[in-house]
Amino acid sequence: MNNVLVIGSLNMDFDVYTSRRPAAGETVMGQSMKMVPGGKGANQAYALARMKVKTSMIGAVGDDPFGRMLVQNLKTAGVNTSGIRLSDRETGKAFIEIDGQGQNYITVIAGANHDLDESLLLDHIDLFEQADAVVMQLEIPFPIVQQAAKLCRQKGKLFILDPAPAMRDIPADFFPLVDIAKPNETELSVLTGMPTGSREEIIRAAQKLHALGVRNVMVTLGGQGTLLLQESGMREFPAYPVKAVDTTAAGDCFLASFISQFDGRDFAPAIDFGAKAASIAVTRPGAQSSIPDYEEVRQKFSHS
Ligand code: RIB
């Protein structure tokens, strides 16, 4: 994809590194704390621009220092931020614990991200017109996601959904608007109401999401790779195993890197590139701070 519009969240992330998470009522001593630009929408926009895609973002931040830092970081990567509104609410925040295995546990306070409304989409309809694809997540009000999906269908744009954080009870008429969905196994379970504890269960749940109308279901399974379910059948793609220090934004990095190489038809090379980029991201701390650029991915895997 050459020109991509991301509509979604921007958060300042507060990352706490700890060897293990406390149990209820327990206190543990952490190792360090970092403040890093994040938000699933912003991470994906940042990664797309780092992968040389012409990228615009529609979103909202507070008129505060965090909001200014988030917008500045996107600008530095080359994202067109003209669609980011200044809200009366505070900039969104995410509180993230990262344990000794690099696993993350995220709580988001939406703040300004809940200020997205239809007027913001209509004010920036030019960004829709220019885009080949529109990417969204579920950290903003769902009616906006529905409206944007319908606009994409009307205008013949590819609509790509990262259904995170996953929601139950999504209206049935929404799924057929989704060209590509990228849930992880937990999100797949919430979306379908089905267990995803084993490979067989994941396949059955992916089949259900496809039967609901999602054209291409791309399930990310961390170190187990990616499962793709389409009309033509199911395919599996390996991950590139590494020692993870922080998996925050690895899914965002995967999706954006996939989109950067996707020509609208051939999933295999684009998924492989996404897996390569994500394998670099998990070796570094933080959200946007962990995302490599195109040259780094190419150079690191030049012999594979
Ligand atoms: O996907 C990772 C992101 O989820 C973090 O950057 C955090 O802000 C939450 O939105």
Side-chain angles (χ1 to χ4, degrees):
M1 297 287 125
N2 296 320
N3 192 323
V4 176
L5 170 61
V6 180
I7 308 173
S9 58
L10 300 98
N11 298 325
M12 185 55 81
D13 290 356
F14 297 87
D15 297 345
V16 172
Y17 293 86
T18 171
S19 55
R20 70 173 179 86
R21 299 180 76 205
E26 186 192 19
T27 302
V28 298
M29 302 301 283
Q31 288 152 353
S32 62
M33 198 249 152
K34 274 192 171 60
M35 205 174 77
V36 181
K40 294 184 197 303
N43 296 342
Q44 291 169 19
Y46 181 86
L48 279 158
R50 303 237 328 140
M51 297 297 161
K52 299 189 175 178
V53 177
K54 191 160 186 239
T55 307
S56 309
M57 180 161 186
I58 291 179
V61 293
D63 188 5
D64 51 39
F66 293 148
R68 284 187 277 281
M69 283 162 73
L70 293 176
V71 172
Q72 185 52 42
N73 209 49
L74 291 180
K75 280 186 178 159
T76 309
V79 177
N80 171 0
T81 60
S82 62
I84 299 179
R85 165 186 282 175
L86 275 190
S87 158
D88 291 338
R89 303 195 208 187
E90 287 179 12
T91 295
K93 296 175 186 67
F95 299 90
I96 307 181
E97 284 175 278
I98 300 109
D99 71 15
Q101 277 68 55
Q103 278 306 330
N104 60 67
Y105 303 84
I106 306 180
T107 306
V108 172
I109 307 295
N113 293 309
H114 271 183
D115 253 1
L116 264 71
D117 58 21
E118 196 180 359
S119 70
L120 191 58
L121 296 187
L122 299 178
D123 284 351
H124 296 286
I125 206 76
D126 56 315
L127 300 178
F128 266 92
E129 307 286 359
Q130 291 158 17
D132 308 314
V134 174
V135 189
M136 297 190 79
Q137 321 73 32
L138 298 178
E139 285 185 332
I140 57 173
F142 187 65
I144 303 302
V145 184
Q146 284 177 296
Q147 277 157 4
K150 284 183 193 150
L151 264 176
C152 283
R153 187 50 53 93
Q154 282 162 18
K155 294 185 177 297
K157 310 291 177 185
L158 198 71
F159 181 71
I160 303 172
L161 179 71
D162 178 4
M167 286 170 51
R168 285 178 213 286
D169 303 325
I170 290 186
D173 63 354
F174 174 73
F175 292 110
L177 300 172
V178 181
D179 294 304
I180 303 174
K182 182 216 72 78
N184 63 24
E185 61 265 58
T186 312
E187 291 149 2
L188 181 64
S189 174
V190 175
L191 288 171
T192 58
M194 292 173 72
T196 54
S198 66
R199 182 176 174 277
E200 288 67 33
E201 288 176 344
I202 290 168
I203 294 170
R204 277 198 289 275
Q207 284 166 337
K208 175 161 180 194
L209 193 56
H210 185 246
L212 285 168
V214 174
R215 218 161 320 146
N216 301 281
V217 179
M218 200 162 67
V219 189
T220 49
L221 304 167
Q224 308 311 310
T226 305
L227 185 147
L228 176 68
L229 198 102
Q230 304 167 290
E231 196 61 48
S232 54
M234 192 191 83
R235 279 184 287 168
E236 289 175 271
F237 302 87
Y240 288 83
V242 287
K243 176 155 174 32
V245 302
D246 182 352
T247 53
T248 309
D252 300 328
C253 178
F254 169 87
L255 182 61
S257 306
F258 157 79
I259 295 167
S260 75
Q261 302 303 305
F262 186 51
D263 62 5
R265 289 182 306 278
D266 197 357
F267 280 73
I271 289 178
D272 184 59
F273 188 80
K276 286 173 173 162
S279 79
I280 297 175
V282 299
T283 63
R284 302 199 280 236
Q288 286 165 41
S289 52
S290 70
I291 293 171
D293 66 9
Y294 176 84
E295 298 305 338
E296 183 179 359
V297 182
R298 277 283 178 238
Q299 275 168 24
K300 171 125 201 255
F301 291 92
S302 57
H303 301 298
S304 68

